Amino acid sequence: MLLFSVTGFTLNHSNWFETTPVSSDRDMELSAELSAALAAVESDTALAPELAARLAKEAGVSIPSGALALVEFEEMILDLGGPGVDATLTIDLVTGEAFYERIDNGVVAKLNDLHKGRDTGLAWGLMIDITAFACLIFCVSGLGLLVINAKARASTWPLTTLGLLVPLIA
């Protein structure tokens, strides 16, 4: 909950936390054998694990499991980004030339992407859902405690009503 509170603030005031992205890129040439194997991959399909491992080794970049290949005009593009990071590997399937570009947007961007679940995968999405469910339980149980203890405090319902109306009015 602390992470979501802090990143909610940083998302709301993103101009306070702007950083200069750090960019890196490099050109490389893949083997003819690997280029031929990649040319057989259909567009919008995940690379086979063995092929992804060969490509990662030869290109010297991390290829996540199930990376989708976009193939257009004898060129393959792999989106290798993650939270706070934009990265692509573009491969010319005819010549075997490849271009890798990585842009790191900084720690705050990484935390904001974690808040939104952007490029985070199944495990983090599940964590977000569990946190949301825990918050729901917390709120419902809190309202239950208000009902039980309202008789002892005259201000309970006026303050609860105010707490509901202020966000609605805002």
Side-chain angles (χ1 to χ4, degrees):
M1 287 178 70
L2 182 61
L3 173 70
F4 286 109
S5 297
V6 170
T7 54
F9 183 80
T10 60
L11 281 165
N12 227 17
H13 301 284
S14 59
N15 57 327
W16 294 359
F17 302 98
E18 290 180 359
T19 60
T20 303
V22 177
S23 179
S24 61
D25 57 59
R26 68 177 196 267
D27 293 308
M28 62 201 82
E29 189 148 341
L30 303 177
S31 68
E33 180 185 273
L34 180 56
S35 295
L38 291 171
V41 174
E42 292 185 30
S43 189
D44 295 324
T45 59
L47 290 179
E50 314 80 45
L51 188 57
R54 283 176 52 200
L55 177 58
K57 184 177 179 186
E58 208 169 301
V61 298
S62 177
I63 309 285
S65 176
L68 290 179
L70 175 63
V71 181
E72 291 182 344
F73 308 109
E74 299 179 330
E75 185 176 79
M76 177 182 286
I77 301 170
L78 296 170
D79 179 4
L80 305 176
V85 175
D86 299 313
T88 56
L89 179 62
T90 306
I91 304 163
D92 184 322
L93 297 171
V94 176
T95 65
E97 293 174 0
F99 177 74
Y100 177 71
E101 180 179 35
R102 183 178 193 278
I103 302 170
D104 188 332
N105 295 302
V107 174
V108 173
K110 180 182 281 289
L111 292 174
N112 288 346
D113 283 351
L114 289 172
H115 178 100
K116 297 182 281 185
R118 180 179 174 255
D119 294 327
T120 56
L122 179 64
W124 188 256
L126 187 58
M127 182 64 140
I128 290 173
D129 291 344
I130 290 168
T131 302
F133 186 71
C135 290
L136 182 63
I137 298 290
F138 181 74
C139 291
V140 170
S141 64
L143 284 173
L145 288 172
L146 282 176
V147 169
I148 292 169
N149 295 314
K151 294 175 191 164
R153 297 174 193 233
S155 63
T156 297
W157 295 121
L159 288 174
T160 302
T161 303
L162 184 64
L164 290 171
L165 288 178
V166 168
L168 288 175
I169 292 170

